[in-house]
Amino acid sequence: MGLLCSRNRGYHEADSEENVQAEEIERRIEQETKAEKHIQSLLLLGTGESGKSTIFKQIKLLFQTGFNDEELKSYIAVIHANVYQTIKLLHDGSKELALNDTESSKYVLSTEHKDIGKKLSQIGGQLDYPCLDKELATEIETLWKDDAIQQTYARGFELQVPDCAQYFMENLHRLADANYIPTKDDILYARVRSTGVVEIQFSPVGEHKKSGEVYRLFDVGGQRNERRKWIHLFEGVSAVIFCAAISDYDQILFEDENKNRMMETKDLFEWVLKQPCFEKTSFMLFLNKFDIFEKKILKVPLNVCEWFKDYQPVSTGKQEIEHAYEFVKKKFEELYFQITAPACVDRVFKVYRTTALDQKLIKKTFKLVDETLRRRNLFEAGLL
Amino acid sequence: MVDGPFLHMAGRHQQGTFYAVILPSLRKLQACFDQALDEHHGGGNQLAMEPYGKKKLGEDFRLWKVDFDQEDECGICLEPCTKMVLPNSLLECLLPTAILPFEIHRSRFSPAVGGSESGSPTAMAGCAVEGGCPSDYIAIAISGLSVVVLLSRSILPFVVHKVSRKKGSGFWIPMIQVLASINLVISIVMSVNYLRFKKRHPWQSCYIWAVWIEGPLGFGLLLSCRIVQAFQLYFIFGKKRLPPLRSHISLPLFLLPWFALAALIHMREPLNDHCHMKAQWVVPVICLHAVFVGILVAFTAAIRHIEFRFNELRDLWRGILVAASSICVWITSYVLNRVHEEIGWLQVLSRFLLLVTTGVLIVVVVSISSSQPLLSQISLRRRESMRCKTMGQVLGIPDSGLISHNEANPAVNPNEPLEKLLLDKRFRQSFMAFADSCLAGESMHFYEDIHELGKIPPDDSIRRIYMAREIIDKYILAGSVMEVNISHRCRQEILTTPDMAHPLLFDNALNELLQLMKMNLARDYWSSIFFLKFKEETSKGPAGHELEQVSDCSFSPRLSSIHGFDDPFRHEHLSEL
């Protein structure tokens, strides 16, 4: 009898232990789901090379711990790869233009640089790049300064020359240093095509430390093949940050050289706006790469892009830049209101002028975004 | 446009003669008779005279009466008919039939003569003409069964085995073939008299069924699809390049002659009420059928020396044989029916044969092995072949998709270049799992498939072409399920290559993707759980216990959760296990 009793008690004890554990687990699950609900997810969408990953890096630098030494060192390989790829692109591009273009003579490399060109082109085509040392840096610099290469660079919109080309070419000797550690700017300029999805979680700690708003930011690839993966992220998103590079109006796509980049941005923006899961989502449109836009608008007119073909330049200098920017902004706003169905009229839509490389500007912009989202949340909770 | 074995051009001819010759002379007769009556009775109301005329005319007209009584047959159909007694009733007999077609008149009056002949020939003569014979229903059942078999073979792989749909012509051409087959069967059932319809509705119009649906949307569409498939095989395996004309251009091109002929027939309207046409129209129609079979023979003969692995050639030859024999059957039955028009059982038999050969035709001609070779491997009967295999496994590439656990486990050094590390199979699997988890797996799957392609010897061009075609369909074509992130130039180089069996075909694409993985994924991999797990597994060694403690490094998930259920990478990954 005693045995039975004790055994029963044993079972009871075991049971109660299990019960306690089960309760604990359930409590934890509940907590986490509650926590999840407070996390606001933000999506960075846009076409390829529109600046999404740069903004992602900025957020990391601003609101997270930033990059530690390991990560900084890991970017050295990326920066060197950028250099080699750029110079190879320019060299091969000059050869092609020398063959096909009507004014072929200005794209022909000078004879003393031909060997360097071949060598660098071959290095650029390898899978494993050599470390950038002083010797190679000097050679690359000589080639960069060659007239033919400069002329090819002026035609860079036809090739897929990255925007960081000029910056890295001007800083070659610093990059080739044996003890080189990339600066923040170097990392922001470094160009890597994103694939798949990356996320970070952060809290925009401002003056009110108790705000406790937690954001989860998703960065995606922008090329056409990457877009079929976006659909997995669309549920329950608080806000979409759509990046549109306004300096792209004369360039063609990486994945389809028959399509203009601005037209692709327009089509993609339409598609994203029409998504049924975004009926209540706030839209923040970042008109990005304003620094490049400023310089380009004075040389290349806006009408080269079909969407902007009714643009009339009014003046020159700063006024012209402002006028052109306002025109582009108006086009995007018109498109938004044309597409938006009556049911989604009360969703938030804001346009921001950004330069993703400028940290102060991004900090300010993000503060505005944060405020808008908080106001929207309070509004929805009925407190405003 | 099939002028089956059903005759009765003769009927039309007889009707023409009736209107032209017989009716006027009978009317004259009637007029004479009336005149004679009038004269006899000094004029008067003809109608009032009729019954009187019968009685009063007596001997003068006894000859008429006697003649009619004795003959007792209708002047038109020359069959004994109890309804006819007087010349007036002759006219009565005539008038209704003047409106109705010849055969319906026959059937209306012939049952009355049933006593002298046996019941079934007339009943058969009835159903031979109108439809509804038992053999007709059997034929419809057989063709219905063949449609069901066809549908099950085409659709079940998608439904039961949950194979994902291929994009592009690989999916549409077999589906269009199935549709065309169904159209063919239904058009034959509707245009030839299998079913007895009480009323003729406008949608039963002959022109829709026998002309448009049988030709351009039935037999023509079916054969054109097969020709397009043979055309693609010829270019891919014969000339080792992708076909210059996409299928959505070449298919309408092949269908043009069918539409042209159908439009011509529709304008000239040579069909009669029974959907039969004159001999001079039948000849071009049959010629077009035969020409298309001939084109299919030509393309198939051009690739006959290639050793295909999925029985494409065998399917093509079988289809050609059955198509040619069914055309022969149609021609023979048509000719026989022209020659022996009156034999009812011949009509019924030829109708039966027509539908049965069509049923056999659609089951044999439609084949998916050319467009979707892997699907054709899935047998619905055998249980082991329920899983969809990869092309590598089917082609017999050694160690395709398997991990061998007997390999030595060298320590993985993150400082080594990625392409060296990827040569180790277990590292590859771990890296692929990581890439799949953050939705970037297509590059790794592409790498795997290129690796398998590399195992095929360079001179075995047929297997290389199969593998290359599979890779292009899966990874390179715009909009494909696992499209990879490569530049426009790279993609165009692959799609317009003059030699699909070339060993360096995918080199540039592979380089671009390896660069992408090195710059993007590899950095995140070293700090991910997948790498930790991999280190644990490799450090365990053969003894089974851990040889070194895993250092406590903070790992950050690149992507913590995926919200979607139909993750293509997870699905693909699982199905390959």
Side-chain angles (χ1 to χ4, degrees), chain A residues 215-263:
Chain A
Y215 287 114
R216 192 179 273 165
L217 183 65
F218 292 93
D219 181 27
V220 296
Q223 281 81 24
R224 284 182 184 167
N225 73 300
E226 304 281 335
R227 292 177 203 160
R228 66 172 191 277
K229 310 171 191 174
W230 294 2
I231 199 89
H232 300 287
L233 307 166
F234 279 179
E235 274 307 309
V237 163
S238 313
V240 167
I241 301 179
F242 193 89
C243 295
I246 48 176
S247 62
D248 270 358
Y249 58 89
D250 65 339
Q251 288 174 284
I252 43 182
L253 288 178
F254 170 77
E255 65 267 27
D256 180 2
E257 292 185 356
N258 299 324
K259 186 103 190 255
N260 178 287
R261 285 197 186 190
M262 190 53 85
M263 299 308 293

Side-chain angles (χ1 to χ4, degrees), chain A residues 71 74-75 77-78 81 85 96 124-129 158-159 192-200 216 218 221 223-226 228-235 253-258, chain B residues 417 419-420 438-443 480-489 491 510-516 518-521 523-524 557-569:
Chain A
E71 288 183 10
S74 70
Y75 268 99
V78 178
Q85 283 163 357
E96 220 183 277
Q126 284 171 359
L127 212 44
D128 208 12
Y129 296 129
E158 282 172 32
L159 315 163
V192 176
R193 223 158 65 237
S194 307
T195 180
V197 182
V198 199
E199 77 173 68
I200 49 166
R216 192 179 273 165
F218 292 93
Q223 281 81 24
R224 284 182 184 167
N225 73 300
E226 304 281 335
R228 66 172 191 277
K229 310 171 191 174
W230 294 2
I231 199 89
H232 300 287
L233 307 166
F234 279 179
E235 274 307 309
L253 288 178
F254 170 77
E255 65 267 27
D256 180 2
E257 292 185 356
N258 299 324
Chain B
E419 52 273 16
K420 284 221 180 78
C438 46
L439 300 183
E442 72 269 10
S443 314
S480 46
V481 177
M482 291 174 76
E483 193 183 343
V484 284
N485 197 335
I486 49 177
S487 65
H488 176 85
R489 263 173 217 223
R491 187 171 283 128
L510 194 62
N511 271 358
E512 278 192 19
L513 288 173
L514 276 171
Q515 281 292 342
L516 185 68
K518 278 168 87 153
M519 297 294 126
N520 201 301
L521 291 177
R523 279 183 307 130
D524 294 330
R558 195 185 203 234
L559 182 63
S560 58
S561 63
I562 302 171
H563 301 283
F565 293 107
D566 49 347
D567 173 21
F569 303 110

Side-chain angles (χ1 to χ4, degrees), chain B residues 511-544:
Chain B
N511 271 358
E512 278 192 19
L513 288 173
L514 276 171
Q515 281 292 342
L516 185 68
M517 288 197 281
K518 278 168 87 153
M519 297 294 126
N520 201 301
L521 291 177
R523 279 183 307 130
D524 294 330
Y525 173 73
W526 302 121
S527 53
S528 72
I529 357 169
F530 292 90
F531 178 55
L532 282 178
K533 267 199 219 154
F534 176 71
K535 268 209 307 206
E536 272 182 42
E537 281 174 15
T538 50
S539 62
K540 268 192 185 134

Side-chain angles (χ1 to χ4, degrees), chain A residues 28 47 76 92 104 121 158-159 192 289 299 332 342 351:
Chain A
R28 285 245 289 268
T47 52
I76 298 181
D92 293 348
S104 57
S121 180
E158 282 172 32
L159 315 163
V192 176
K289 300 204 181 177
K299 289 186 283 186
F332 272 98
V351 183

Side-chain angles (χ1 to χ4, degrees), chain A residues 254-307:
Chain A
F254 170 77
E255 65 267 27
D256 180 2
E257 292 185 356
N258 299 324
K259 186 103 190 255
N260 178 287
R261 285 197 186 190
M262 190 53 85
M263 299 308 293
E264 181 82 358
T265 307
K266 170 176 183 268
D267 292 340
L268 186 63
F269 190 53
E270 270 182 63
W271 181 82
V272 171
L273 285 174
K274 286 189 187 154
Q275 290 301 308
C277 17
F278 290 152
E279 267 181 20
K280 298 265 159 60
T281 322
S282 319
F283 267 83
M284 313 291 164
L285 178 63
F286 279 22
L287 295 179
N288 204 12
K289 300 204 181 177
F290 184 70
D291 51 346
I292 308 180
F293 180 78
E294 276 180 321
K295 294 191 206 119
K296 199 182 262 196
I297 197 69
L298 302 170
K299 289 186 283 186
V300 184
L302 264 183
N303 333 62
V304 298
C305 176
E306 234 181 272
W307 193 20

Side-chain angles (χ1 to χ4, degrees), chain A residues 346-359:
Chain A
D346 51 346
R347 77 178 162 193
V348 175
F349 174 66
K350 289 255 160 95
V351 183
Y352 299 95
R353 176 194 337 210
T354 55
T355 299
L357 299 164
D358 184 345
Q359 192 157 33

Side-chain angles (χ1 to χ4, degrees), chain B residues 234 297-308 313 316-317:
Chain B
Y234 171 67
V297 170
F299 273 116
T300 312
I303 51 176
R304 69 183 182 282
H305 55 279
I306 299 174
E307 291 175 25
F308 288 98
L313 204 58
L316 277 170
W317 283 129

Side-chain angles (χ1 to χ4, degrees), chain B residues 237-255:
Chain B
F237 290 94
K239 302 232 160 151
K240 295 190 189 159
R241 50 172 304 164
L242 291 171
L245 279 181
R246 302 280 300 278
S247 59
H248 55 81
I249 298 176
S250 51
L251 187 61
L253 213 61
F254 280 113
L255 278 178

